[in-house]
Amino acid sequence: MTEGIKVRPARTAEIPTLARLVENQLPDMMAGRKRPDNIEGYLARLIPDQCLMLATRGNRLAGLIALDLDHTRVLACYLDPETAAPDTPRQLFGAVEKLALSYGARSLTCQIKKQVTGFMSTIGYETAEALDGDGAVVVEKNLLAKARPELKELIKLLDELGIPENYGVRRRLKLIPEASTLVSIGPDIFNRDQRLTPAAATAWGRMRSAAANNGIDLQLVSAYRGVTYQVNLIRRRLNEGKSLEDILKVSAAPGYSEHHGGRAVDVTAPGCKPLEESFADSRAYRWLKSNGGIYGFRESFGMANRHGISWEPWHWCYHHRPGR
Ligand SMILES: [Zn+2]
């Protein structure tokens, strides 16, 4: 048993095995929750958001943790006493805390068995409420306590603007760190210089040339935009008398825009109105749908997307493809 423990999101194909393990009463650190009747269905719902994490040693399961993202609550943390290492629960909690924080969640709660209160306090959970009767305790961790200063600063800005605390969680949008290195990709249709990360810039250049060879003129509306840009945009709209709710229907909250990462472009074509759904009727859009993937670009907010964001056929984001 010299192999280390690795923590990773569970895969759909593993659900039946995991459900059997849960049914076989692996010890759970959580308390006071009835096991769901349909464990497989229940676990499967956690997969798309990576809210089911496994600790493995080689091909053996050492533990699993389940996160209810909507309520920022840890649902279960099972450990296999034979395979788990003393540090395994800490690793599992660390993984879901990182995940919750990536959606901008500020705290995590869980209802634990009384006997694990000591352990939970060593990983930063404080007792919020002691429940009489069944020996359960509700504990809570402030995820921002040890967060990076830039993140604390951003949260302060979001609060000032009145962005709801659960904005990222509800829309399943992650915080996107601002790109650190940017290079020019030339002017946009308003003659402003635009920038992307070096990798995204190269991919954009290649895609644009390939489109031009097919008689398609891909034009740029916008590329990198920092957090400050987004804050000013929202302040301007608020000053114009628009409600925050309406503003957030068409603009991402600061910190959550893919444009911060320097990998997203808003594209238009001659004869199209920029940033309008009608772009979807253009030849340029059809070309992007067929060819964008070859250059690493994906449409982020398709028709009826899981973020509940209106269709943005003009918004394409470059995703690193490993091994190329
Ligand atoms: Zn965009």
Side-chain angles (χ1 to χ4, degrees), residues 225 259 265-266 312 314-315:
R225 301 200 296 258
H259 290 281
V265 281
D266 291 336
E312 293 191 1
W314 61 83
H315 178 108

Side-chain angles (χ1 to χ4, degrees), residues 200-216:
T202 304
W204 164 252
R206 284 193 188 132
M207 182 165 78
R208 203 175 186 188
S209 308
N213 287 338
N214 289 307
I216 308 276

Side-chain angles (χ1 to χ4, degrees), residues 268-269 271-279:
T268 189
C272 295
K273 264 190 157 178
L275 314 183
E276 300 237 335
E277 207 177 286
S278 56
F279 178 65

Side-chain angles (χ1 to χ4, degrees), residues 75-90:
L75 295 167
C77 180
Y78 295 100
L79 293 167
D80 180 339
E82 279 178 29
T83 316
D87 205 36
T88 304
R90 182 191 299 270

Side-chain angles (χ1 to χ4, degrees), residues 58-69:
N59 58 7
R60 296 191 59 185
L61 184 78
L64 72 89
I65 194 160
L67 173 68
D68 173 355
L69 192 55

Side-chain angles (χ1 to χ4, degrees), residues 16-247:
T17 313
L18 296 172
R20 267 199 306 282
L21 285 165
V22 172
E23 262 160 347
N24 291 340
Q25 309 284 320
L26 275 184
D28 189 0
M29 292 168 66
M30 302 299 134
R33 287 184 60 86
K34 205 168 91 46
R35 273 165 205 258
D37 295 330
N38 174 4
I39 295 180
E40 279 196 33
Y42 184 80
L43 295 178
R45 278 201 296 280
L46 303 170
I47 298 279
D49 296 316
Q50 308 199 322
C51 285
L52 185 62
M53 295 269 191
L54 307 183
T56 57
R57 192 195 289 275
N59 58 7
R60 296 191 59 185
L61 184 78
L64 72 89
I65 194 160
L67 173 68
D68 173 355
L69 192 55
D70 288 304
H71 301 97
T72 53
R73 181 170 62 188
V74 178
L75 295 167
C77 180
Y78 295 100
L79 293 167
D80 180 339
E82 279 178 29
T83 316
D87 205 36
T88 304
R90 182 191 299 270
Q91 281 177 286
L92 285 169
F93 275 93
V96 288
E97 286 162 12
K98 200 172 148 202
L99 181 67
L101 195 58
S102 74
Y103 286 103
R106 300 165 188 208
S107 64
L108 264 192
T109 61
C110 39
Q111 190 171 316
I112 55 167
K113 289 177 178 153
K114 210 175 232 156
Q115 61 266 37
V116 296
T117 319
F119 165 75
M120 294 302 286
S121 82
T122 68
I123 59 169
Y125 287 79
E126 286 172 13
T127 302
E129 192 185 349
L131 303 172
D132 291 332
D134 53 3
V137 181
V138 177
V139 292
E140 181 166 17
K141 179 170 182 171
N142 173 6
L143 300 178
L144 290 182
K146 286 187 180 160
R148 290 172 290 115
E150 310 91 79
L151 181 59
K152 289 186 191 173
E153 199 57 41
L154 174 68
I155 299 281
K156 222 170 83 189
L157 273 171
L158 293 173
D159 286 345
E160 277 166 21
L161 289 171
I163 310 286
E165 244 188 79
N166 64 355
Y167 173 86
V169 164
R170 208 160 42 94
R171 299 187 180 217
R172 295 297 191 265
L173 287 179
K174 288 193 175 183
L175 288 163
I176 312 279
E178 284 183 319
S180 50
T181 313
L182 293 161
V183 294
S184 172
I185 52 166
D188 63 20
I189 53 167
F190 308 108
N191 218 21
R192 302 171 300 190
D193 186 56
Q194 291 293 342
R195 294 174 298 159
L196 289 174
T197 65
T202 304
W204 164 252
R206 284 193 188 132
M207 182 165 78
R208 203 175 186 188
S209 308
N213 287 338
N214 289 307
I216 308 276
D217 186 8
L218 294 182
Q219 297 181 320
L220 205 54
V221 182
S222 171
Y224 170 79
R225 301 200 296 258
V227 170
T228 311
Y229 178 100
Q230 205 71 7
V231 170
N232 292 339
L233 177 91
I234 289 183
R235 285 210 175 114
R236 213 160 50 233
R237 299 268 184 279
L238 286 170
N239 290 339
E240 284 163 11
K242 295 205 173 88
S243 78
L244 185 65
E245 205 189 330
D246 283 346
I247 297 168

